[in-house]
Amino acid sequence: MRCNVRRLGHLAVLSMLVCASSLSARDASQGWPDTPLSRTQALAELQTLNAQLLSHPSATLTLEQWCGAHHLAPEARVVAHRVHDADKPLPEGARALLGIGPDEPVRYRRVALSCGDVVLSDADNWYVPARLTPEMNRQLDTSDVPFGKVVQPLHFRRQTLSADLLWSPLPEGWDSGTSLPPAGDKPLAIPDHVLQHRAVLYTADNQPFSLVIESYTSHVLARP
């Protein structure tokens, strides 16, 4: 597994800083203030979410727990909003990862995973319909139920291929003497997507059936 989220050993220290911070330091109406403390807190949040995603097979259930713990919506329930008429070719090497031949049918599904009105993740999913039940395929074709919930009866496991921070609020080398950016008078500028995972899902009998690429949005850092 390749993981570019660096210095996970600092997670405990960063998380302590998050817990010790006051609510005024992250007033929701102002977003994240551009201060060294706020940048450290934002990195701790990202590292914490990344660690939770890496330790659980279902990103959907992990996001529901995250949504509930951070009060991102009145009800901590993640819904998949399908992007219809979308199509993407299989990434290079995907058929080998899925253990299928060149003629095996593969379906594509793109969804935005939302908790309440907040989009937490954009997910691209290529899956082998022959390795799912007819009822699972029907739900995936006709409903907005998240993929992880549909295939939960398979008791699947997840093998992460990569976990990459797409944005870091602190500069490279921040923990070894690099100076932190000075405080600014505007909210911290956060890009649309901050974290991306690539993973293969396996059935209980170790058969790969899905390749997923999940891009997590800046809303995972939102405050109520």
Side-chain angles (χ1 to χ4, degrees):
M1 180 189 76
R2 177 172 60 89
C3 180
N4 289 342
V5 180
R6 301 185 177 185
R7 300 172 182 86
L8 289 176
H10 294 270
L11 179 59
V13 175
L14 292 172
S15 297
M16 289 172 62
L17 285 170
V18 171
C19 294
S21 66
S22 67
L23 290 177
S24 62
R26 293 184 288 182
D27 185 279
S29 65
Q30 299 296 322
W32 289 75
D34 189 358
T35 65
L37 176 59
S38 184
R39 286 175 175 272
T40 303
Q41 292 165 343
L43 181 59
E45 291 273 321
L46 287 176
Q47 299 283 35
T48 300
L49 175 60
N50 185 64
Q52 292 180 6
L53 289 165
L54 289 172
S55 61
H56 294 87
S58 174
T60 301
L61 295 179
T62 300
L63 286 178
E64 282 191 344
Q65 295 168 2
W66 185 263
C67 181
H70 293 78
H71 309 291
L72 301 181
E75 180 185 4
R77 186 171 75 92
V78 169
V79 176
H81 299 284
R82 292 182 62 191
V83 179
H84 295 278
D85 300 322
D87 192 22
K88 281 187 180 181
L90 269 171
E92 185 177 354
R95 287 188 174 272
L97 289 171
L98 293 171
I100 56 175
D103 299 322
E104 179 73 35
V106 176
R107 292 181 185 170
Y108 172 75
R109 195 176 193 248
R110 179 174 174 83
V111 299
L113 294 178
S114 301
C115 191
D117 296 329
V118 180
V119 177
L120 300 180
S121 172
D122 295 310
D124 295 304
N125 189 329
W126 296 266
Y127 62 96
V128 184
R131 295 178 179 173
L132 306 181
T133 67
E135 175 59 19
M136 290 176 185
N137 281 309
R138 186 194 68 79
Q139 288 190 66
L140 292 173
D141 287 341
T142 62
S143 76
D144 284 355
V145 179
F147 188 85
K149 288 188 175 181
V150 171
V151 301
Q152 200 168 8
L154 296 177
H155 304 291
F156 65 91
R157 69 176 179 87
R158 177 187 180 98
Q159 179 179 320
T160 302
L161 304 176
S162 63
D164 300 316
L165 276 185
L166 303 180
W167 169 75
S168 177
L170 294 178
E172 185 73 21
W174 65 270
D175 59 341
S176 58
T178 299
S179 299
L180 300 184
D185 57 1
K186 296 181 179 180
L188 189 60
I190 304 176
D192 291 340
H193 294 92
V194 294
L195 177 66
Q196 186 176 85
H197 280 202
R198 295 174 65 251
V200 174
L201 307 184
Y202 292 80
T203 62
D205 59 0
N206 212 37
Q207 187 177 50
F209 66 92
S210 173
L211 170 66
V212 296
I213 300 178
E214 300 151 344
S215 301
Y216 297 91
T217 75
S218 59
H219 295 301
V220 298
L221 296 172
R223 282 295 174 270

